[in-house]
Amino acid sequence: MVINKRVKRILLENKAQYIGSIVLIILSCFVFTLMSQFAGNFERLASEFQDGYVQEDAAFRVDQSIDNLQELESAANAVIEEGKTFDYKTSEGKTLRIFSQNDRVNIPAIVEGKELSGSGGILINPAFAAENNYKIGDELRILDKSFTIAGIMALPNYIYPLQSEEMMMPLPGFGIAVISKADFASFNQGSNFYAVKYNDADHNPRAQSAEFRGLLESRGINILQWTNVEDNKRVNIVDAEVDILNLVSKGVPTGILLLAIILIGNLIGRMINRESTIIGALYALGYRRKELYRHYLIFPLLIAIIGGVIGTILGTFPVRFMVSFMFTAFNMPLTGIEYNPISMIISLLLPIILLGCSSYYVIRKELKHSPVELMKGKKEKNKVNFLERVLKLEKLKFPKRFKIREQLRSLSRLAFLLFGVAVATMLLLWGFTLKSGFDDLLTGGSVYTFEYEYKFDKLRYEPLPAGAEPLSASLFVSEPEDKRDFYVTGVKPDAALVTLVDESGTHLTTNQVIITKPLANQLESKQGDTVNIVRKLDGRIFSVKIDAIADTYEGKFIFMPLADFNQKFEMPEGSYIGAFSNVLLNIPGNQSYSVVSLDEKLAAIREVMAPMQSMISGLATMAFIIGMIVIYLVTSMIVEENKGTISLMKIFGYRKKEINSLILNSSTIVVVIGYIIGIPLTLSAIGVLVQSMENSVGLSLPPLKINLLYILIGFIVVMISYELSKLMCRKKVNAVSMSDALKSGME
């Protein structure tokens, strides 16, 4: 059509607005492509690793060695392999967990180097190698025996290398290693465990575990510890990470795309309003409505195609880097990157379809009037919306009245500005909220006043020295199928190393049953209630009466006196399985145990926070760009729509400073409101992720909040983008001449 020749001219005349729209589409498609491809590759690589190297379905410890495993395998229809392990403190004070090599279940995957062959070789995990600058061929001494690093490996049951299942993040000084069974036997120490892989993949693994535990009990084998793979935080946190990536890959691009839809709808609607007389004339000249639809649809479709193609292509480049970066925390072999063409097609088509449909609706709404109405150009020009009618603005001074009316005259423009600032605020405060949570973890620790936490592989009865207190603990759930587990912990009735208080700040003695607040919320229980809990080890149900609720979010626990714990859960009298201590204990070398200090836990949090700084910077940059685009485009619209008014103001003698204040500052209150709206939206969005983590791995966090300092920093960033946008638009205001008012009157 001849009229399509004007497309290029219109785009160049309003290039800032259309470039801003294209940038929003690019950002949306970039984030969608990057996160969806990243999540898909991460999930695929994890699945291939788990299947290819025979990840366990369950692991357990017993009080005696199991004879004739082949007969037990046949009876259980499973593959069972015995493993051995012990923790070794290196000369640098690092903890290396040594495993004997498995060849049937939890097979080591070689990431770099080669497999073990003969004696004297050792495999270590990538994080430990990188932290200590170990390379293939280096020597490593363990218990006065020298080993040569043959390769860097990953274990399918230690994808997320947590030293203890109670932790939520790896310790910086912790690593895992694998040596041959012959080398392990030469040390004559360590504890045994068994890994199980069921042959019937179609049968529910949890149900098979229940049957298998019954089989062991029928043979008189006493189970000390049992962990299903779905309850193993070293593994199931991978599923939680995939869920989070999928949520982010949908939520962030959707918000940015909605911004682009609102913006382009505004642009198209205003274009048609400005050109209503021309459109009426085109009708009169014989142009059909379909031809005009196609003409005006070119603008949004062109924006969608350009932005979609560029954003999708750019989104594929950082995928490998993102996966590699994630694998610094998760131990898995990176066998290759695959790009899902369906996700790329969705990334291309989604903006085209959504922008096309929304723009068609706007165009249809504007072109439904008759040619005569369009040529008159009076359609709804002076219509006052309901907000202006409701608000009594006559009593306000002219500057305030002008600014408020300027925002209320276009509700679609107002919605775009509010929504845009809110989205930018969410991106900006997302990282700050996470950092606030980690800051609370670093400054917390009011419950535990000990320095070291010991965990023994077998029950102990020996008295502990001064400065140490015994404990016993077992994992429980509220219902058999619930993944949100918690600990019931037995401590001394006069424990000094565990400090609990109620909501009023009154100290709670540990000679009673005390439940922490997040667990009380989960179980919907209050003081004096009796709750039924299920022991994960054997599925037995126990009833516990709650005497008090501790006002703390440092974990989900039920504390009770150690003697009552042993009696209720049928443990040997005087036994314990761990210890809190302010002194290092002298444990015999033939007893296997693990020890973690609070300083190491805090170091783990600090190490996690280091890469978070980059994430916060990236989100802040994206938020700044989006804020700049949104505020600049809205301010540009205001200037364009008020050219006649600005010209008259200049004729009447208003100074530049006064005109800039009236026109450019009219959005200030809307920007502030948009920022305020973004704060609860940020907390709600992160709350969804935290709930996902709680459902997946039982993570419990205190009520989400944002440090006031971070709120202030975020506000300053948003206001800087606002001021820069005004500065850019000031040239447009100054460029309006006095003659524009005369031209407007002649038209």
Side-chain angles (χ1 to χ4, degrees), residues 474 476-478 488 530-536 538-545 565 567-570:
S474 291
F476 287 80
V477 290
S478 58
V488 177
T530 298
V531 296
N532 292 325
I533 55 178
V534 182
R535 186 161 61 184
K536 291 185 70 172
D538 52 15
R540 290 183 59 186
I541 300 175
F542 296 88
S543 295
V544 177
K545 183 181 179 182
F565 178 95
Q567 182 180 7
K568 176 174 281 292
F569 302 118
E570 301 175 3

Side-chain angles (χ1 to χ4, degrees), residues 686-713:
I686 295 182
V688 172
L689 296 184
V690 171
Q691 187 62 47
S692 174
M693 288 290 287
E694 182 176 356
N695 294 336
S696 301
V697 296
L699 172 69
S700 64
L701 290 177
L704 291 171
K705 60 181 180 180
I706 309 175
N707 188 296
L708 186 61
L709 175 62
Y710 296 140
I711 293 178
L712 181 61
I713 292 173

Side-chain angles (χ1 to χ4, degrees), residues 391-407:
L391 296 175
K392 305 298 182 182
L393 304 176
E394 289 76 13
K395 296 181 180 179
L396 298 176
K397 292 183 179 180
F398 172 72
K400 291 184 179 179
R401 188 166 67 247
F402 180 88
K403 292 175 183 178
I404 294 173
R405 279 181 172 163
E406 194 53 52
Q407 293 300 319

Side-chain angles (χ1 to χ4, degrees), residues 208-253:
Q208 293 186 77
S209 290
E211 295 171 2
F212 186 61
R213 285 198 301 266
L215 180 63
L216 293 176
E217 291 170 358
S218 68
R219 298 186 175 210
I221 299 173
N222 185 29
I223 303 171
L224 298 177
Q225 181 185 4
W226 184 283
T227 304
N228 290 319
V229 70
E230 61 188 25
D231 301 323
N232 183 354
K233 290 184 176 64
R234 301 180 179 104
V235 174
N236 63 17
I237 202 167
V238 174
D239 297 327
E241 189 68 30
V242 170
D243 291 341
I244 290 174
L245 292 174
N246 286 327
L247 281 172
V248 172
S249 69
K250 294 178 178 65
V252 175

Side-chain angles (χ1 to χ4, degrees), residues 558-685:
I558 294 177
F559 293 97
M560 62 170 39
L562 181 57
D564 294 348
F565 178 95
N566 288 336
Q567 182 180 7
K568 176 174 281 292
F569 302 118
E570 301 175 3
M571 302 296 291
E573 184 178 355
S575 66
Y576 60 92
I577 196 67
F580 298 141
S581 178
N582 282 326
V583 296
L584 287 171
L585 302 182
N586 186 18
I587 310 296
N590 60 350
Q591 294 187 17
S592 183
Y593 68 96
S594 61
V595 58
V596 178
S597 72
L598 288 186
D599 289 340
E600 289 175 327
K601 290 185 177 182
L602 293 177
I605 296 174
R606 292 189 183 95
E607 186 164 293
V608 170
M609 288 177 65
M612 185 182 292
Q613 305 296 336
S614 301
M615 183 195 73
I616 292 174
S617 300
L619 290 174
T621 302
M622 185 180 291
F624 186 82
I625 293 172
I626 291 175
M628 279 278 293
I629 292 172
V630 169
I631 297 170
Y632 174 74
L633 292 178
V634 169
T635 309
S636 296
M637 290 180 191
I638 293 173
V639 174
E640 289 291 331
E641 293 169 5
N642 285 278
K643 277 187 175 181
T645 304
I646 295 169
S647 180
L648 281 173
M649 287 180 177
K650 291 184 176 182
I651 292 173
F652 291 151
Y654 279 84
R655 290 171 296 179
K656 288 183 179 181
K657 185 177 181 181
E658 294 173 319
I659 297 173
N660 287 329
S661 176
L662 288 171
I663 300 297
L664 301 180
N665 290 342
S666 63
S667 301
T668 303
I669 186 66
V670 182
V671 172
V672 174
I673 293 173
Y675 183 80
I676 294 172
I677 292 173
I679 295 173
L681 290 178
T682 303
L683 294 175
S684 300

Side-chain angles (χ1 to χ4, degrees), residues 716-740:
I716 291 172
V717 171
V718 170
M719 293 310 293
I720 289 174
S721 68
Y722 177 48
E723 292 300 325
L724 287 176
S725 300
K726 290 196 306 180
L727 189 64
M728 293 164 61
C729 287
R730 192 169 295 170
K731 294 180 180 179
K732 286 193 171 187
V733 176
N734 296 335
V736 177
S737 65
M738 296 183 187
S739 61
D740 285 342

Side-chain angles (χ1 to χ4, degrees), residues 94 124 126-136 138 149 152:
K94 312 289 186 179
I124 58 176
F128 190 78
E131 183 180 350
N132 294 279
N133 200 28
Y134 284 130
K135 297 179 177 60
I136 307 297
D138 287 352
I149 298 176
I152 309 299

Side-chain angles (χ1 to χ4, degrees), residues 107-122:
I107 305 169
I110 304 301
V111 176
E112 182 184 350
K114 59 183 180 179
E115 297 180 353
L116 295 177
S117 58
S119 179
I122 189 171

